[in-house]
Structure formats: structure tokens, C-alpha cells
Amino acid sequence: MGENHLNLIFITMKKLLSVLMLSLIMMACNKDEDSTMFDWDKIVAEMETTELSAMDVLKSLRDNEYWGENIVYYYFEKDGKIIESLKLGNGLEGEGGGTTIYRFADNVVNIYSNGGPNLKDVWSLSIKDNNGFYSCYYNEKLYFEYKVVAYDENQVLLEMNYSEEYRFTTEEGKFLSEKVLLKRQTSDSKWWEKVVPSVQE
């Protein structure tokens, strides 16, 4: 076997080892990301198809139905990195404390909080459609914007970005946004109809 042939084999082997090492590094990075970031893609892939628009789905509730928060993740920025933090998992159904629900109508969203028997409240926000980004206003001040990431007739995934006035900083970092999976749920008591808005500044 000639020297040139041996050199060619050596160079080829070296290239193959480099490709293999790069692949292993990328797999390790992906594994790290997967271990810290929620698999929203899996939820999106499981959604059914529908011919309705996202807003038509959001407005399609019957009088005893509501959109209940099922999964909520907050996103923070700290030291140049995005940190994902679970705020709600597995949903809060029924009328227990801590429930937040949404009911949409034409150009309006009512957000109800149910912290217990005497701790119910509602925010009524006007909605403006800005080419798929929906801006929500309270007393003509921007509260948050949302976009519909994915949906079917029983669940809707929203990404919500709050105005600077409503952002906050914790040990997790500066709050940037949240992702919320809403699921269609029912309550025969329709407790939201009895909620009287408190004074909101």
C-alpha cells in the first residue's frame, strides 16, 4: 500500500472522527435544552384540525363553559440567558382557589380570578387585532399582547407579552413573557356571572 494511499485513509478517518465528535456535542446540547425547556411542540402536534379561525374558537364557548389555564410557563432573562419557569401544571379545574379563566367576546376578553369564596375578581379588556398580534387594553392602557401559537376546538396555546409597566424582576430574572395552554372546561354554577369588578388601577 503506497504512502499517498495511507495518507488519504488517515485524512478520511480524521474527518469522520471530527464529524462524529461534532454530532456528539450537538446531541449533548440538545439533551441539555430538552431537560430544561418544556416540550410545547408535542402539545402542538397533538392538536386536532379545525376549519374555524383562532378567534372564532376562543369566542365559541357555551354559557356554562370557560377557557381555563392548564399549563403556564413564565420566561425570564438573566445573565443573557432565557430561563423557563413552571407556574402552573396539570390545570386547576372547578371552582377551587387560584383559578384564572378567560371568556372572549367580540373585541373583548374577560379574565376572571377565583381565589376563594370571597376573592373573585374580573378584568375586562378591549382587544385590537394588529395583524395576528392581539393587543389588550384596560382603561385605554396597553396591558398585554398575545398571539395564538396553535389551537384546536378544545385547547388554545397563547404566547403573552406584557407591557413594560406590568413586568417585574425576581431572583429568576426579568420577566419577559408567558406561554399559556387554555383548555375548554365547564362549570354548571357559572360563578363568573356573579363576579363584580373591584376597583382596578
Side-chain angles (χ1 to χ4, degrees):
M1 199 177 285
E3 185 178 340
N4 287 340
H5 191 66
L6 286 172
N7 283 339
L8 183 60
I9 291 173
F10 177 74
I11 291 169
T12 303
M13 293 280 290
K14 192 173 179 182
K15 285 182 180 178
L16 285 171
L17 283 171
S18 297
V19 170
L20 179 61
M21 289 296 292
L22 184 59
S23 298
L24 289 171
I25 290 169
M26 290 179 71
M27 284 173 65
C29 290
N30 288 338
K31 186 176 180 183
D32 287 343
E33 288 177 7
D34 290 343
S35 65
T36 57
M37 302 298 275
F38 186 74
D39 190 2
W40 292 110
D41 290 341
K42 182 175 184 294
I43 287 177
V44 171
E46 290 172 351
M47 290 189 178
E48 305 291 334
T49 57
T50 177
E51 294 181 2
L52 296 175
S53 71
M55 282 306 297
D56 284 341
V57 167
L58 286 169
K59 294 186 296 183
S60 69
L61 295 175
R62 298 176 182 87
D63 66 349
N64 68 334
E65 292 182 333
Y66 61 90
W67 293 108
E69 291 183 339
N70 189 259
I71 301 172
V72 181
Y73 274 86
Y74 283 1
Y75 294 85
F76 298 88
E77 187 276 327
K78 187 172 185 179
D79 300 328
K81 295 180 181 178
I82 303 299
I83 298 169
E84 184 182 56
S85 179
L86 175 66
K87 295 303 171 188
L88 172 66
N90 301 321
L92 288 173
E93 298 184 13
E95 299 173 43
T99 305
T100 300
I101 73 168
Y102 299 74
R103 288 182 55 85
F104 290 80
D106 289 332
N107 303 317
V108 174
V109 57
N110 292 310
I111 305 174
Y112 300 86
S113 59
N114 184 358
N118 301 311
L119 294 171
K120 294 179 172 62
D121 201 3
V122 57
W123 287 71
S124 294
L125 308 175
S126 61
I127 303 174
K128 293 181 182 178
D129 182 359
N130 298 318
N131 298 316
F133 285 87
Y134 298 92
S135 300
C136 297
Y137 295 85
Y138 179 73
N139 285 345
E140 300 183 357
K141 287 173 60 178
L142 180 64
Y143 186 31
F144 64 84
E145 293 182 315
Y146 73 88
K147 68 176 180 178
V148 179
V149 179
Y151 69 96
D152 60 23
E153 293 187 27
N154 293 304
Q155 54 187 351
V156 181
L157 177 57
L158 302 179
E159 184 174 300
M160 303 167 72
N161 296 290
Y162 287 80
S163 65
E164 194 67 32
E165 182 179 347
Y166 294 98
R167 293 187 176 187
F168 54 87
T169 301
T170 70
E171 66 277 359
E172 293 175 286
K174 183 177 181 181
F175 173 65
L176 299 176
S177 63
E178 65 182 287
K179 279 189 179 178
V180 181
L181 180 66
L182 301 178
K183 288 206 172 185
R184 188 189 296 265
Q185 299 176 31
T186 61
S187 172
D188 291 333
S189 75
K190 296 185 282 187
W191 59 265
W192 52 86
E193 293 182 350
K194 306 176 186 72
V195 176
V196 177
S198 64
V199 177
Q200 297 162 351
E201 295 297 336

